[in-house]
Amino acid sequence: MNGDAGSGDQELLAEQIDYYRAVADEYLDGQLDEPGGDELVAAIEEFAPAGDVLELACGPGTWTPRLLRHADTVTAVDASPEMQALAAQRVAADLERVRFVLADLFTWRPDRRYDGVFMGFWISHVPWNRFADFWDRVDHALRPGGRVLFVDDAYRTEEELIEGQASTTIQRRLRDGTPHRAVKVPHTAEGLERELSVLGWNIRVHPTSGPFYWGTGGRSSD
Ligand SMILES: C[S@@+](CC[C@H](N)C(=O)[O-])C[C@H]1O[C@@H](n2cnc3c(N)ncnc32)[C@H](O)[C@@H]1O
């Protein structure tokens, strides 16, 4: 495990939320059009999350409608009301099956357990020093035998790497040029699988033909 987001990362994490709040309207234009995206869709279809599903960092509802094809209900958590407003529009026809929770995932405690937990492009935004605590929260959210699926990427541009390759802090700019720092951990499939197994998870992480990866599994003890 490496990276450098130290214990004084509150400001950085607040800036990360500010970035996503500000970028919400531009977000869908900036999505990565790289090989492997269709493999993520296939992974979700295979996962076919049934029952009550928790979606962490739902954003503008990129994946929420697809989850609703399989799930009875989706609880969609995000810290950005702007993102959640966009997500609500995308699931307008199924709103009675979606509960939106506006919360910071580094402090939020789930009030119930779920059959499945899904995370789209979120794991890479969790700094290493919060990684174990975050997965403890996932543990508390999952019923015994419940399953997890995440999809993500390790894509960072040269321009974003304001502190160099070794740092997990990057800088992104809004269309108008306003800079915001964020966390982007460039996980490898093997490295992530290993770290999760240390924490008691049995999750297989699969690279794709592009910069994306996806992981699925559950607790080692289940
Ligand atoms: C890369 S986007 C992913 C959105 C969506 N899941 C997708 O795949 O397109 C990351 C999301 O995390 C949310 N986020 C950032 N920091 C957060 C935090 N501390 N707690 C909850 N959500 C947060 C942002 O508002 C944003 O919607």
Side-chain angles (χ1 to χ4, degrees):
M1 204 183 273
N2 52 28
D4 53 1
S7 54
D9 63 354
Q10 297 279 11
E11 228 178 275
L12 172 61
L13 296 177
E15 209 171 317
Q16 173 159 264
I17 293 174
D18 287 346
Y19 168 68
Y20 280 108
R21 293 194 63 181
V23 85
D25 282 339
E26 306 170 12
Y27 180 78
L28 291 172
D29 300 338
Q31 296 222 306
L32 266 188
D33 186 17
E34 294 280 345
D38 52 338
E39 293 161 60
L40 305 185
V41 173
I44 297 174
E45 289 304 315
E46 196 184 327
F47 183 65
D52 296 324
V53 172
L54 177 64
E55 183 182 11
L56 299 178
C58 65
T62 315
W63 308 101
T64 321
R66 191 168 289 280
L67 299 177
L68 283 164
R69 286 193 202 171
H70 305 279
D72 294 330
T73 71
V74 171
T75 297
V77 186
D78 201 284
S80 163
E82 296 79 4
M83 288 285 192
Q84 286 190 329
L86 293 169
Q89 286 173 21
R90 291 192 85 160
V91 297
D94 288 303
L95 260 189
E96 75 287 352
R97 295 196 290 130
V98 184
R99 175 168 70 119
F100 286 104
V101 176
L102 185 64
D104 181 341
L105 288 172
F106 295 118
T107 53
W108 182 65
R109 282 271 165 205
D111 57 2
R112 52 157 296 178
R113 290 187 187 260
Y114 294 86
D115 299 302
V117 175
F118 173 79
M119 299 168 253
F121 294 85
W122 169 247
I123 292 299
S124 60
H125 294 303
V126 177
W128 278 125
N129 65 317
R130 307 253 180 179
F131 191 76
D133 177 74
F134 172 73
W135 279 93
D136 191 46
R137 288 170 199 276
V138 176
D139 182 33
H140 278 87
L142 203 61
R143 71 160 172 76
R147 310 272 299 160
V148 176
L149 174 70
F150 55 76
V151 301
D152 213 319
D153 70 70
Y155 189 80
R156 311 187 310 169
T157 66
E158 281 301 317
E159 195 198 348
E160 287 177 342
L161 298 172
I162 49 162
E163 295 184 5
Q165 276 284 356
S167 175
T168 59
T169 301
I170 60 161
Q171 183 184 70
R172 289 201 171 147
R173 288 184 186 277
L174 301 178
R175 209 178 275 145
D176 69 7
T178 310
H180 289 269
R181 290 178 312 148
V183 175
K184 188 75 183 176
V185 181
H187 289 295
T188 62
E190 322 80 69
L192 185 50
E193 204 171 279
R194 199 171 47 243
E195 296 298 342
L196 287 169
S197 105
V198 170
L199 296 179
W201 294 91
N202 180 16
I203 293 184
R204 273 288 312 279
V205 186
H206 308 259
T208 66
S209 52
F212 308 107
Y213 58 84
W214 56 278
T216 189
R219 296 181 190 89
S220 305
S221 56
D222 283 341

